Structure formats: C-alpha cells, structure tokens
Amino acid sequence: MSGADVIGPDDRSPLRVEGLSLLTSRDILLDRLSFAVEPGEVLALSGAAGAGKTLLLRALSGLAPKGVTVLGDIHIQGRRILVTQDGALDPLRTIGAQFTELLAHQSGMDERTALRCAAEALERFQVPAAARRLALHPHELGEAMRWRAALALAMAAEPALLLADAPAAALDPTQRVRLLSDLAAWTREAGTALLLAGRPQPDPIQADPVPSGLADRRLILAQGRLEAPEEEPTPAPPPVEPAPSGPPILSVRDLRVAFPLGRSWRGAERWLTVVDGLSIALAEGETLALLGETGSGKSVLARAILRLVPPVGGQVSWLGTDLAAAPPEAMRRARGDLQILFPDPLAAFDPLMTIGAQFAETLESLRPSRSTAQSAAQSTADRAARLAEALEEVGLPAAVLDLHPGSLRPAEAARAGLARALLPEPRLLVCDEPAATLDGSERADFLALLQAIRRRRRLALLYATQDAAEGLGIARRALVLLLGRIVESADSVVLATGARHPYSRALIAAAGLDRPALHGDPPSPLRPPTGCPLRLRCPLAHDGCAQVPPTLDPVAPGHRVACHVAQDSAQEDGKAP
Amino acid sequence: MHGPAGTESRTDPHWRDGPWQKAGQRLTAHRPAAAGLTVLAALMLAVAAGLVAGGGPVGAALAAGHQSLSFTLLAGLGGAALGLLWAAAAVALGERAERAMMAPAAALTGLPLALALPLVGGLLGPQRGLAPMVMVAALIAAPAVAVIARDELRALLRREFLSAAQAAGIPNGRRLRRHILPNAVLPLAAAAWTALPRALMAESLASLLGLGLPAGVTGWGTAIGAAARAGDAVALAGPALLLALTLWALHGVGDGMRLAFATAFSTTAGGRR
Ligand code: SF4
C-alpha cells in the first residue's frame, strides 16, 4: 500500500488519467489511456489475460516495474491504496495489530479506539464475532475471511481511491459476489472511488457487472488500449429441444464415493463422504448440468461415473450393464461410449508424447482397427486421416498432431482435448468444467463449438460447472449439488426463473452478479452440520432445519427440492386456487 | 471464430521445442545450475589432467580430488539406487506398506547421519577396506533420496493425464510403461542427485577425522586434516577450496534440477498461474 498526494488543478475526481502510456524498450504495453473515476464510483476493468490490467493498477499506484517508462499524466487526489491479487496482509502480526498500526499512523488513534474501528470495519463484511478475530494471525483465517480482513483494512485507511486487483479470485462465486457487493456498497457510501480489475479466469467482473449494479461503468482493456464496451447481444435462449424420451442409457443409483481419512483416536474409521447417495438417469441425447461449488462433489461424481474414482456404494449402469461388475472387455467397450473433458485440458495430455501419438493411442485402445484384409500401410494412412479429421472438426490444423502439449495454448489444448474425447465416437460426454482455463471470447467460442458438436452428433451431455448461467445455458435439465447431495433438480428454464432452494437461488444470483443471500462461509465437509447441510448459511433456516434433514421431494412435475421451507410454500401454492 | 489456430505468431522462439529440450533449457536457465555444471565439468577435466601431469601442491590436491570424487560417485550412485528402490517399493506396495516404509526414512533424514560414517570408520579400525565405507555412505544418502522420490512419485500418480489414459481404456501395464515411467525419469533424477553432495560431505568429514578413506587413500578430507595437523596453510588451501567448490556446484545443480524437473513436466508450469 502506498499513499500519495498529487493535486490536480481544481478537479474533484480522485483519479484522472490522461494519455497514459507504458513502454519498454521493445513494446508498447499500454497505449494512451485516458479515463477518470469520480468519488463513490465503481469502475470495473476487464480484459483478457495479459491485457495489462495488473500493470495499469501498479502504474496507478506508482509501482510500475523496473524498465517500464511511464508517459502521460496521472492525477490523483487524496490517498490511494492498491490491494494486490494475493490480498497481502503481514503474516507475522495479528489482524488487530495491523489495524492499530495503520490507524495510529494515519489518524493518531489510540489502541482501544482503533480496535473498535477495526471490529466495525470487519462487521461491514458480516464477519461474526469480529472483535475476537482481531487477535488472530492471517494464516489462522480462512481464505474468505482473509480477504474480508484485507479489504476492511484497506477501507479503514479511508482512501480516496481503492485499486483492487482481482480480489478474492479463488473464492466460490456465492462468497465472492457477496464480498464484492459489500465492498461496492461501502465505497459508494464512503465516497471512495473503486477500480476493480478482473482476472483472466472465468470471472464475474469479466462478465458485464454494470446491469447488476455491482459496477457503475466498465472499461475493457484489449491489447493495451481501452475499448468501448460493445453491446453484447443477449444470448439467444437455447432452442427448446423436445425432452428426449426413451429408456435411460446411463443410470446412476445411490452412488456413494468416500475417501478414508485414517482412524480417529478411538480407533473408529473416519471417512470423508464426497458423493452421498446420488441417483441420476440420462436418456439418449439428453443434457444435464451439475451445478455446485467447491466441495459439492460434482467433479468426483463425474469421475465416479467413468470409474476413474472407485465408488464405495451404489451402481452405475451403462446401457443396462453394471460397470462395477463389467469384465475388462465390456468395460473397454463402455469407455469408448463414455468420454470425459477435464478441467485443465493441458494437464490431461501426457507432456512427453505428441498430440498425434496420444490420439493414436486412444483410438487404438478404444476402437482397434480390425481390418486384417487391409494392408498395414493403408490402415496407418486411414488412421492419420482420421486424426486430422478429428482436429479439423474442432477447428485445429493438422500440424497440431506433431506438437507436444507444452507447445499448445490453453484454448488449443481445450480443443485438442475435445477432439480426443470425440475420437472413439462416444455417446455420452462428461464435462468437468471444461472451459475453466479459458476466458472471454475464447471461452464463448469453445462452448459454442461444444454445443454445435453435441447437436450434430446427438451426444448426451453431463456438464459439471460452478457457473450457474453457463450450466443452465448448455443443458436442458439441471441438478444443484451441495455437499454431495442433490438439493434441487428441475428443467433449466424452470430453474433460471423459479429456483426454490435458497442455495440454488444464491448460485444463480451470483452468476448474474446479484448479491447472494447466503451468509457466512461453507461448513467444513469433515464436519457437516446436522440436519440440512445449508443450515448455517441459510437465510430461511428455522429450528426444524437443524433436526430433520430435508429429503428431495417433488414440488411440481419434474421439479424436486430438498428444503423444508420451499416444500411448505409449494404446498401452500398448491392449495391456493 | 477467433483463431486458436495452432501456428500463429508466438513471442517465445522455442515454443515448438519438445519437452526434453524445454527441460534442458529450464535447467541451464537456472544460473547456479549452469555454473555448477560448468564447474563440475572443469573439475573432472582438471582432475584427469592432474593425474597425468601430477606433482606440486596443485597436483596433489587434484589427485586427492580423484579419490574423493570416485568415492562420491560410487557411494552417491549406490545411495540413489537404494533410495529410489525404497521409494518405488513403498509406493507400489500400497498405502499401509508405504506409511510403514516411509516413516523410518523420514525419521532418518532428521538425524545427523553424516556422523555415522566416521563412527563406522572408527569401529572398523585402520585396516578397513574401501567397500564397506562406500556401502555405509550409500546407506547414509539413501533415506533423503527415498523421501524426495516418494513425494515425486505420489505427485506424478495424481497427475491428470493418468486419469485421461485410464479414460482411454489403456491397461495398467501399458500405462506404467508409456506414461508413468517416462514422466518419472527427470523428477527421480533430481531426487537421486541429492545423494552426491551427501556422500561427499560424509566422506570428507570422516576423512578429516582420519576415520574415512582407508589408510593409503588420500581424499580432500584426508589432505585437509593432514595439513591442519601440520599447520601448513598452503597445503590446506588447495583441497579446502576444491572441496568447497565441488559441494557448491553439486548443490547448485541439485537445486536447478529440482526447480526445472520436479515441476517441469506439469505443463501448468508453462506460463499460467
Ligand atoms: S431446509 Fe431449512 S436450512 Fe435447509 S435450505 Fe431449506 S430453509 Fe434453509
């Protein structure tokens, strides 16, 4: 953090930038940027990875890296504070000590007053028992709490300009959006100008935060220049596809996945249950989204279906065959039908083999060429043609076959991963956050490609994601998962407008950058609360929620919810004429 | 469509290089590693040349280097092999065996094992042969190698491409041969390298006390010990300097290998994060 007092000629804006350029001896990093932020305004700064957002914030706080020449004018009125991507707090001192030092240094406050101010600052972020947390060191706080402390500390300094570089990027959407809304409300009230930079990962700030009221304006940085935010076409609602009929091809019954945690001191085996008795059925060509945040079990579920993680109970059957009991040959045939996209496509390729070699290996393993009549040379030629074709389908040149994964960029790796999954001509594609490493237009392109291919090939799709908007846009039906259990299941259209479970509502609100109504932080999966797993964060919780865990019951045709309050209100709706 | 089209301009001129080349580039990009490699190569040449030319205090120091380095190489290779076997067996035998096998290794790395060599040297007495000393030095170096190698193997087994191979229906044997073993080579080499400086340390310490290399074989430690007892500063400087230089180079290369190889093959090291 750094303070500076640069007075512009009678101008009230905390920050005014005119013709700011950042140059190295070789490159122009930022090119003639001009903008201003008014007191109490929230400005979102977005742009792809490497567009120069972090650099701009550093230059604005006077911390331009060595070897970079800064041209143009930066007028700053009052104190400015930069909160870096890691939300740096001094690891060696308690939160309270850091507040006291800052406030004493700045406004000569004595310790008691300073601690009271600090507790008030933390309470603005709904930190329960704030005064007690002041005695803790940063590493004793969870990630979310550390971010609340870092931002509260920054705001306690009463800056005129707060520069926040991708704050709390690692948090789950429901926590993060809530934190950012609280921050924006506070800066507006205090008259602080807030410059909020997004991060290159899928990020709410990257999406347009203006309509939701999180930010007042939005700047887009592309190749070192500011671009006017283009009118984003409202995404066309997904074409309503007829509900696929026919018997389920995949059926999952009471699936349980748990990992042993060793023994407790009494000698009892302890288990971490990640997927807790889930049942799913999927018909030919059907699309299903699994929505949930960290610890919801969505990605373990995806892997357990393909038997990449061994389940401890329940059944997964593919076309009527129980995969657990399937002999190796049948299992291999099933693997050809069931393919998966991994969250980090680059890491899903063996770094030592070329893409072509790995494609060939997959093909040989899952669809071995049986043609003995053909000469070997011809079948090799056939194979090569087939690999090139697979790449063409995902928009990659055949030259990629000769590259090693280390030479691919994330967008290319994602497409190569898709091409590999399509090689054995699967019937079900399981996707585990397949676009997690992509941002902006690359992400949108990849998802559009995935959709187009799915339609063309009539693939069934299981799509796990924490971004509710993305999941609901892709799949016809959706399940919301919380701590390994389904809390709501409905058609996407129904869920998008009429979700009933408080957790589904929060997830959907966060995707639209509205402040989610859940308070506090998720409970540890090692000690889930009794009764309803959401109980400690739920705004509607009542005493009954602690005693009886809600069951997943229908509230309307095709719509099931596991929540006492939602079920009661649905019943009343039903009774009312 | 925005072009993820394979081959457009990239700033890195080496983007097309294979993974082995890239690992090499990362190793030599690490300054201490590059310097260490140069020093070690120069030292080998000098020792070889010194054996031929001989004579004088420099020749004597280089000749002592021959003994020290040979001992280090033998004991280091032995220790590395032992440690790698230890780790591989632990990982292969399943979780319970792994815990049982790795707990003693972890405990041993916490002890000042280097002191065991002079102890054994003293017990064996002046008539001790070279072979038992090499063996003990190897045993001293092994636990640390085992601990590092086990961590590397565990990390490797968690890598996503192994799940991808499983999803592609590749049988376990083939998965081991085609995917696990090749990817284990460099991280395990980095783990094995740590045996060399340990063996040299232990040998020099023991020889300094006169309890290391058997009588008649003069290593750097022996030479330093003799010079110190005689109060001969000039004779002390040569071997002491060479020993320090060698240890520094071994550590430098070890650090470089750890940085370049241990994370090397996770492609995520290639720029993101
Ligand atoms: S059952 Fe109770 S605690 Fe759980 S979501 Fe419903 S209202 Fe909230």
Side-chain angles (χ1 to χ4, degrees):
Chain A
M1 293 181 195
S2 62
D5 298 280
V6 190
I7 307 299
D10 74 278
D11 178 0
R12 300 295 313 140
S13 329
L15 170 66
R16 200 156 46 77
V17 176
E18 273 161 29
L20 175 67
S21 299
L22 259 56
L23 317 167
T24 63
S25 48
R26 278 190 303 149
D27 288 310
I28 302 179
L29 302 174
L30 294 178
D31 190 11
R32 285 162 293 159
L33 310 185
S34 299
F35 61 92
V37 196
E38 303 302 318
E41 190 181 30
V42 181
L43 191 63
L45 178 67
S46 51
K53 299 181 298 264
T54 298
L55 195 65
L56 173 60
L57 290 198
R58 293 189 61 134
L60 291 181
S61 57
L63 299 170
K66 257 192 236 140
V68 172
T69 320
V70 181
L71 300 177
D73 294 327
I74 303 177
H75 299 287
I76 292 180
Q77 283 223 355
R79 190 187 310 273
R80 66 186 159 184
I81 285 186
L82 170 68
V83 179
T84 49
Q85 281 187 4
D86 48 5
L89 288 168
D90 182 345
L92 296 180
R93 292 187 313 150
T94 62
I95 305 291
Q98 301 189 36
F99 270 99
T100 347
E101 189 196 67
L102 177 82
L103 294 175
H105 174 74
Q106 189 188 308
S107 31
M109 243 180 237
D110 65 71
E111 193 175 331
R112 283 247 318 279
T113 343
L115 283 179
R116 213 177 45 240
C117 271
E120 275 165 22
L122 284 182
E123 269 158 19
R124 302 224 35 158
F125 289 115
Q126 275 99 32
V127 175
R132 259 193 295 136
R133 314 233 176 205
L134 290 174
L136 299 178
H137 285 87
H139 67 264
E140 295 169 286
L141 302 173
E143 169 92 6
M145 204 51 84
R146 212 162 38 232
W147 270 105
R148 291 185 191 117
L151 293 173
L153 186 62
M155 281 306 286
E158 295 177 351
L161 170 66
L162 181 60
L163 306 160
D165 191 1
L171 295 187
D172 279 339
T174 53
Q175 281 176 302
R176 178 166 198 233
V177 173
R178 185 162 167 120
L179 180 63
L180 294 182
S181 324
D182 288 346
L183 177 66
W186 190 355
T187 55
R188 284 195 181 112
E189 189 188 311
T192 300
L194 174 61
L195 189 57
L196 211 52
R199 64 167 184 159
Q201 298 293 321
D203 184 336
I205 304 179
Q206 295 283 352
D208 194 347
V210 177
S212 67
L214 181 60
D216 303 308
R217 254 181 332 124
R218 178 178 182 216
L219 293 180
I220 299 177
L221 208 52
Q223 273 136 24
R225 293 171 192 241
L226 284 184
E227 285 186 349
E230 46 193 287
E231 271 307 305
E232 273 179 39
T234 37
V240 184
E241 294 169 38
S245 51
I249 48 173
L250 173 78
S251 90
V252 175
R253 263 190 304 277
D254 272 333
L255 191 68
R256 268 175 47 81
V257 183
F259 300 109
L261 290 174
R263 290 174 185 282
S264 73
W265 57 276
R266 282 210 209 100
E269 285 257 17
R270 292 193 311 140
W271 292 84
L272 172 64
T273 303
V274 186
V275 173
D276 197 358
L278 273 182
S279 302
I280 304 176
L282 207 63
E284 178 100 58
E286 162 127 58
T287 53
L288 178 65
L290 305 172
L291 307 179
E293 296 178 319
T294 316
S296 65
K298 58 182 187 320
S299 111
V300 172
L301 171 64
R303 280 153 208 249
I305 289 175
L306 281 97
R307 297 197 65 75
L308 301 181
V309 234
V312 293
Q315 210 183 33
V316 177
S317 49
W318 172 251
L319 296 175
T321 330
D322 181 5
L323 290 187
E329 192 39 45
M331 188 62 210
R332 201 128 62 99
R333 239 177 295 124
R335 287 209 183 282
D337 287 343
L338 297 163
Q339 279 292 304
I340 179 167
L341 298 184
F342 291 95
D344 185 349
L346 214 45
F349 282 109
D350 185 337
L352 297 184
M353 288 167 76
T354 61
I355 299 293
Q358 300 188 54
F359 277 22
E361 191 180 38
T362 304
L363 200 56
E364 186 50 45
S365 158
L366 295 178
R367 297 278 183 254
S369 48
R370 280 183 227 292
S371 44
T372 41
Q374 279 180 341
S375 68
Q378 191 177 355
S379 78
T380 326
D382 274 359
R383 179 103 41 81
R386 202 161 152 199
L387 300 186
E389 231 169 70
L391 281 177
E392 200 188 317
E393 184 173 7
V394 297
L396 288 178
V400 168
L401 287 177
D402 299 326
L403 294 179
H404 283 90
S407 309
L408 297 183
R409 286 180 300 145
E412 294 161 350
R415 282 165 192 251
L418 177 58
R420 174 171 66 178
L422 294 176
L423 269 179
E425 292 177 5
R427 294 166 70 181
L428 167 65
L429 198 56
V430 176
C431 305
D432 182 8
E433 300 248 19
T437 54
L438 307 181
D439 56 35
S441 59
E442 286 179 340
R443 186 180 176 89
D445 287 342
F446 178 76
L447 294 180
L449 175 71
L450 180 62
Q451 276 287 42
I453 288 177
R454 183 192 69 73
R455 288 215 190 87
R456 188 161 63 243
R457 295 190 170 220
R458 294 191 37 72
L459 284 172
L461 192 72
L462 206 58
Y463 193 92
T465 177
Q466 61 170 359
D467 181 345
E470 187 178 298
L472 296 181
I474 277 190
R476 200 189 60 79
R477 221 154 52 82
L479 304 178
V480 183
L481 301 180
L482 177 66
L483 285 179
R485 281 183 229 158
I486 301 177
V487 295
E488 185 158 12
S489 101
D491 285 356
S492 297
V493 197
V494 175
L495 216 50
T497 53
R500 286 176 179 266
H501 197 282
Y503 181 68
S504 326
R505 286 197 198 150
L507 211 53
I508 291 165
L513 290 183
D514 288 324
R515 185 167 185 272
L518 298 182
H519 43 74
D521 298 329
S524 151
L526 292 176
R527 267 177 296 119
T530 56
C532 174
L534 192 65
R535 179 165 66 84
L536 301 175
R537 301 180 72 195
C538 179
L540 307 178
H542 55 71
D543 292 345
C545 301
Q547 275 134 32
V548 191
T551 51
L552 189 65
D553 289 326
V555 292
H559 189 172
R560 293 186 302 157
V561 180
C563 166
H564 298 310
V565 173
Q567 285 162 4
D568 292 347
S569 72
Q571 254 172 19
E572 277 159 31
D573 290 355
K575 274 182 211 141
Chain B
M1 200 179 286
H2 299 256
T7 40
E8 69 213 47
S9 73
R10 305 195 192 209
T11 42
D12 177 12
H14 296 294
W15 70 273
R16 245 173 178 291
D17 289 354
W20 300 101
Q21 279 113 300
K22 280 187 179 159
Q25 287 157 14
R26 270 196 302 271
L27 178 62
T28 45
H30 185 71
R31 285 243 184 91
L37 280 175
T38 323
V39 165
L40 286 180
L43 216 62
M44 299 278 216
L45 283 179
V47 165
L51 283 184
V52 179
V58 177
L62 290 175
H66 174 68
Q67 306 298 346
S68 274
L69 288 180
S70 315
F71 184 93
T72 303
L73 200 66
L74 279 177
L77 283 181
L82 263 174
L84 293 184
L85 268 177
W86 191 336
V91 169
L93 287 180
E95 214 160 307
R96 198 159 294 205
E98 182 178 335
R99 241 175 290 146
M101 288 178 74
M102 292 319 292
L108 283 175
T109 44
L111 298 178
L113 280 184
L115 294 180
L117 193 62
L119 195 70
V120 172
L123 287 177
L124 288 179
Q127 298 312 316
R128 58 186 177 263
L130 199 53
M133 295 306 277
V134 168
M135 229 126 73
V136 175
L139 281 174
I140 287 173
V145 175
V147 169
I148 305 175
R150 195 274 306 251
D151 290 350
E152 290 294 346
L153 285 177
R154 275 277 146 233
L156 172 61
L157 290 179
R158 273 197 304 272
R159 301 267 297 274
E160 193 97 291
F161 64 83
L162 294 177
S163 300
Q166 201 184 345
I170 292 166
N172 283 341
R174 191 179 157 86
R175 218 154 56 108
L176 181 68
R177 262 180 293 117
R178 295 288 307 257
H179 298 288
I180 298 180
L181 289 182
N183 279 288
V185 169
L186 287 185
L188 290 188
W193 185 271
T194 57
L196 293 176
R198 260 168 218 278
L200 180 58
M201 244 339 244
E203 181 268 319
S204 304
L205 180 69
S207 301
L208 186 75
L209 301 173
L211 300 169
L213 296 177
V217 186
T218 310
W220 280 327
T222 329
I224 296 173
R229 274 189 291 277
D232 183 350
V234 181
L236 186 117
L241 213 69
L242 286 179
L243 177 61
L245 197 65
T246 313
L247 275 176
W248 174 82
L250 287 173
H251 278 298
V253 176
D255 280 352
M257 284 172 86
R258 191 165 44 78
L259 289 176
F261 300 159
T263 52
F265 283 68
S266 70
T267 32
T268 42
R272 279 178 304 108
R273 247 167 252 259

